[in-house]
Amino acid sequence: MAAHAAADAESRIRIGLDVGGTKTDAVALAADDSVLARVRRPSGWGPDATVRGILGAVAELTADPRAAGRAVASVGIGVPGQVDGRGARVVHAVNLGIERLDLAERIEGALGVPVRVENDVKAAAAGAWRLHGGEGTLAYVNVGTGIAAALVVDGAVWRGSRGAAGEVGHVSVDPAGPPCACGQRGCIEALAGGASVAARWGTAATHPVRAVFDAADAGDERARALRRDVAAGIAAAVRILVLTTDADTVVLGGGLTALGPRLTDDVVAALHDSAAGSAFLRSVAVAERLRVLPAGSPAAAVGAALVGAEEEVLSRG
């Protein structure tokens, strides 16, 4: 009986979905956390379309020949919005057109398996931890329209007393710096967030931060100043996370990492510059802890699947 149960557990899959404002990335994980199948499809807009899109992605995964015939053990969903402490209700997911939705209940009712919902950055942190060896403490920094961060300690997302652990985007590092949407000045997000950079640059472009970097490469002094701010802001986030958590690894992810070495080399240089006059900073080797998610990494979907598996364990308990 026990051997049969173990074999059944080995054959089941855990599904994770990273539901973004434009696209959904979904994976099916085997028992050893390897990715058996992956699908990507447009996200829905509004509560009902979001639910339909999630169920459609699950159907595609379970129809994939690599996952076909395997029962679904759990589903985890990462979303760009606030998620309650129970991992069930989504609030203010503006990029999905959702004000309030009990997403776990809707998906559980349709699939009949345990479901857990998590903020997308925290889910990505869990996935990055697994994909980077699954040991120790990892800080994940998402650099995109805004700047957000999350921490994973020995495989568990560290949420803090109010779910804000690891968030550094609204730490002010330059009181005389540019104004931030939060009401402060010189926040990390005001320096390095894509929306802030685009607003400060003020020129229409499909990819405004890339346009700033291109202009800086061409010698534009204002673009060079903005580019320095981007590197300084991200470097400050990395430094703060290392100094407050002593994380073994700090992983950068998000849309701005598509800039590649133009971004990461600038960040590493900024970290070395800040440590040049401090033997203490040199001793903690901040820059040496920095890693970058490879382009196209399924980290957020993998992390969502791992979070969903936590709900499966709770439901069995």
Side-chain angles (χ1 to χ4, degrees):
M1 182 75 71
H4 177 75
D8 179 62
E10 288 291 317
S11 69
R12 294 192 296 171
I13 57 173
R14 292 162 294 155
I15 288 178
L17 304 99
D18 174 32
V19 183
T22 58
K23 65 182 183 301
T24 293
D25 188 16
V27 297
L29 298 190
D32 63 357
D33 294 340
S34 62
V35 177
L36 282 175
R38 183 181 186 184
V39 300
R40 279 169 279 195
R41 55 183 286 153
S43 297
W45 175 260
D48 292 339
T50 296
V51 170
R52 287 195 301 271
I54 290 169
L55 294 177
V58 172
E60 285 189 47
L61 285 172
T62 55
D64 188 290
R66 293 163 293 183
R70 297 185 182 226
V72 176
S74 59
V75 173
I77 306 167
V79 294
Q82 299 175 28
V83 179
D84 68 7
R86 298 184 300 113
R89 184 177 294 110
V90 181
V91 182
H92 304 312
V94 294
N95 290 338
L96 297 175
I98 293 173
E99 177 59 29
R100 185 177 299 271
L101 172 65
D102 197 328
L103 186 56
E105 181 180 14
R106 293 279 297 271
I107 302 302
E108 281 182 2
L111 298 178
V113 299
V115 175
R116 187 175 182 88
V117 185
E118 181 58 275
N119 169 265
D120 58 346
V121 174
K122 290 181 172 60
W129 182 85
R130 172 57 65 197
L131 295 172
H132 280 81
E135 294 182 352
T137 300
L138 178 142
Y140 174 76
V141 184
N142 190 80
V143 290
T145 302
I147 305 292
L151 296 168
V152 180
V153 181
D154 294 329
V157 176
W158 182 32
R159 296 175 175 84
S161 63
R162 298 187 182 183
E167 289 287 3
V168 296
H170 292 297
V171 173
S172 175
V173 293
D174 180 7
C180 183
C182 76
Q184 301 183 92
R185 298 189 72 92
C187 290
I188 287 172
E189 185 167 303
L191 293 171
S196 175
V197 174
R200 295 169 68 197
W201 181 236
T203 301
T206 303
H207 301 288
V209 180
R210 185 181 297 277
V212 168
F213 273 60
D214 290 344
D217 286 338
D220 186 292
E221 288 301 325
R222 189 165 69 91
R224 285 180 172 179
L226 288 174
R227 181 169 172 172
R228 285 193 295 270
D229 278 355
V230 171
I234 296 172
V238 173
R239 188 167 56 250
I240 289 167
L241 287 165
V242 169
L243 293 178
T244 54
T245 71
D246 199 24
D248 300 286
T249 307
V250 180
V251 176
L252 294 185
L256 296 193
T257 60
L259 291 164
R262 292 201 292 172
L263 176 71
T264 53
D265 288 354
D266 282 6
V267 172
V268 170
L271 288 170
H272 285 310
D273 286 348
S274 66
S278 170
F280 168 69
L281 280 179
R282 293 195 300 275
S283 74
V284 296
V286 178
E288 287 74 13
R289 307 189 197 203
L290 187 64
R291 302 290 185 272
V292 182
L293 279 181
S297 169
V302 168
L306 298 176
V307 168
E310 294 176 11
E311 190 69 16
E312 179 197 4
V313 171
L314 290 172
S315 69
R316 289 203 308 264

